[in-house]
Amino acid sequence: MNRAPNVTERYLDEATPRGASLMKREVVLPVLVLALLALVPLTGSAFYTEVVTKVMIMAMFAMSLDLLVGYTGLVSFGHAAFFGIGAYAYALLAPKTEAASLWLTLPAAIGMGAVAAAVIGLFVLRTKGIYFIMVTLAFAQMFYFVFHDTNLGGGSDGITIDFKLEAKLGDIALIDFGNSNQFYYFVLVLLVAAFLFLRTLLNSPLGRALQGIKVNEHRMRSLGYQVFWYKLASFTIAGTLAAFAGYLSAVQTGFANPEILSWHQSGNVLLMIILGGTGTLYGAIGGAFVFALLENIFEALTVHWQLLLGLTIILLVLFLPGGLSEFVARFISKPVEEHADDE
């Protein structure tokens, strides 16, 4: 059975000197990026700290969708529903007169996202292709109108959280969520944890089965795999991680409104993984940062910034279909190949 190879397997075998050199380069680049991210709060700019915090949250959201699109072959256009569920779970559970507890609201938000994803998955995974895309969009719009047109979600204005989250052990506050630097490092640690979790998952038998389903679903079924339940596991995990990202977004902004469940939000996160390259966790993270950068640049140029962004996506798909991760993979492997040629 063919499976989707990772970046290393495309170019070199890990056991060879060339492969070892490539592996070293692949480790150095992420460590360098992580070190740069750790330095952001040290610039002293609260604005840039909050902006990068927001982008890291969106990167977690993008990785959750990439688990579906890039590794399972399920293109969802309603993934924002789970992001919104996580945000609204926190907003609805937060007391009006005092700070909410991390130990209560976080498990509740994750649990609600997991249950919603599992139940919705039972229905939408019975469809395929364009029908799957449209059904996921329909479910997301249902949640959008539930929060937009009823008092549950505060209508179009949403819900405002008046007090910052608390994380206490007894009388000791572990994190000051009102401090942008502390919240930044909290999100950075969670981003790394989410990345490591997904990477471990994808290297597990479950992850290998999901990648096999993407490559050839019929063959996986003929080998005895219960394809539907594997897809449901992927859909549930992706929805849970998206709800987690939505929760963090609500904690940062202090409000939740229906727009975070709209199809625009689903479209934006889909563009992020297209920019970065589907089927690579690094690509999802990089795509989130590049999307935010392009959005800010184009917004400064014109009010019709979406047009410029759309043209950029079209050009990228035409000339670099693997996204920015393909460009980085070529850049990493090229020096290794030139060195091997010299030998």
Side-chain angles (χ1 to χ4, degrees):
M1 181 193 68
N2 296 325
R3 64 177 178 83
N6 57 38
V7 173
T8 304
E9 290 170 332
R10 291 176 188 170
Y11 296 98
L12 305 167
D13 183 82
E14 295 179 13
T16 66
R18 296 170 64 196
S21 179
L22 178 57
M23 285 295 294
K24 184 177 179 181
R25 293 174 188 273
E26 288 184 337
V27 170
V28 169
L29 183 60
V31 170
L32 179 61
V33 172
L34 183 60
L36 291 174
L37 288 175
L39 294 175
V40 171
L42 302 182
T43 62
S45 172
F47 172 75
Y48 288 113
T49 298
E50 291 180 3
V51 168
V52 178
T53 301
K54 179 182 178 181
V55 177
M56 289 193 296
I57 292 172
M58 295 306 295
M60 275 188 268
F61 186 27
M63 283 195 296
S64 71
L65 181 60
D66 198 34
L67 176 63
L68 286 180
V69 177
Y71 292 98
T72 315
L74 299 172
V75 181
S76 171
F77 207 60
H79 205 55
F82 308 115
F83 187 85
I85 287 172
Y88 268 101
Y90 170 58
L92 291 170
L93 291 172
K96 299 298 182 184
T97 57
E98 59 182 2
S101 170
L102 174 73
W103 316 121
L104 172 64
T105 55
L106 178 56
I110 291 176
M112 290 180 187
V115 171
V119 173
I120 292 173
L122 287 172
F123 294 97
V124 301
L125 290 173
R126 301 182 187 279
T127 62
K128 295 181 180 180
I130 187 64
Y131 302 104
F132 176 82
I133 296 173
M134 297 309 297
V135 173
T136 54
L137 174 61
F139 269 102
Q141 289 303 103
M142 285 171 56
F143 279 102
Y144 171 82
F145 286 114
V146 165
F147 289 112
H148 186 277
D149 295 344
T150 67
N151 293 328
L152 175 64
S156 59
D157 294 330
I159 301 174
T160 301
I161 301 106
D162 297 322
F163 297 90
K164 284 294 184 180
L165 189 67
E166 285 185 347
K168 289 185 175 182
L169 282 179
D171 295 329
I172 302 174
L174 301 179
I175 303 171
D176 180 6
F177 287 94
N179 185 307
S180 60
N181 287 349
Q182 290 190 32
F183 184 65
Y184 177 93
Y185 286 116
F186 178 69
V187 172
L188 178 59
V189 169
L190 292 176
L191 174 63
V192 174
F195 174 85
L196 294 176
F197 166 74
L198 288 175
R199 186 167 184 174
T200 303
L201 173 70
L202 292 169
N203 287 326
S204 70
L206 171 60
R208 297 301 185 189
L210 294 177
Q211 294 171 70
I213 290 170
K214 178 190 174 184
V215 173
N216 194 325
E217 180 177 336
H218 296 291
R219 180 171 293 182
M220 292 296 288
R221 186 178 286 111
S222 68
L223 290 172
Y225 285 88
Q226 299 294 323
V227 170
F228 176 84
W229 297 109
Y230 277 96
K231 285 184 176 181
L232 182 61
S234 176
F235 195 86
T236 303
I237 294 170
T240 303
L241 184 56
F244 180 48
Y247 173 89
L248 293 175
S249 177
V251 171
Q252 181 189 23
T253 60
F255 72 90
N257 69 3
E259 291 305 313
I260 60 176
L261 295 98
S262 69
W263 65 270
H264 301 89
Q265 184 83 324
S266 295
N268 285 343
V269 72
L270 190 58
L271 289 178
M272 290 176 192
I273 63 174
I274 292 174
L275 273 172
T278 60
T280 61
L281 298 178
Y282 292 119
I285 297 173
F289 278 89
V290 172
F291 182 88
L293 178 64
L294 292 177
E295 183 178 1
N296 281 278
I297 292 174
F298 293 153
E299 278 184 341
L301 297 176
T302 174
V303 294
H304 305 293
W305 63 270
Q306 293 96 335
L307 178 61
L308 294 178
L309 182 62
L311 291 173
T312 303
I313 296 293
I314 292 172
L315 292 174
L316 182 68
V317 171
L318 289 175
F319 297 104
L320 202 63
L324 297 175
S325 59
E326 179 182 338
F327 174 78
V328 173
R330 292 177 182 176
F331 176 77
I332 291 175
S333 64
K334 187 175 180 181
V336 180
E337 291 172 348
E338 290 176 350
H339 178 70
D341 291 339
D342 292 339
E343 293 179 348

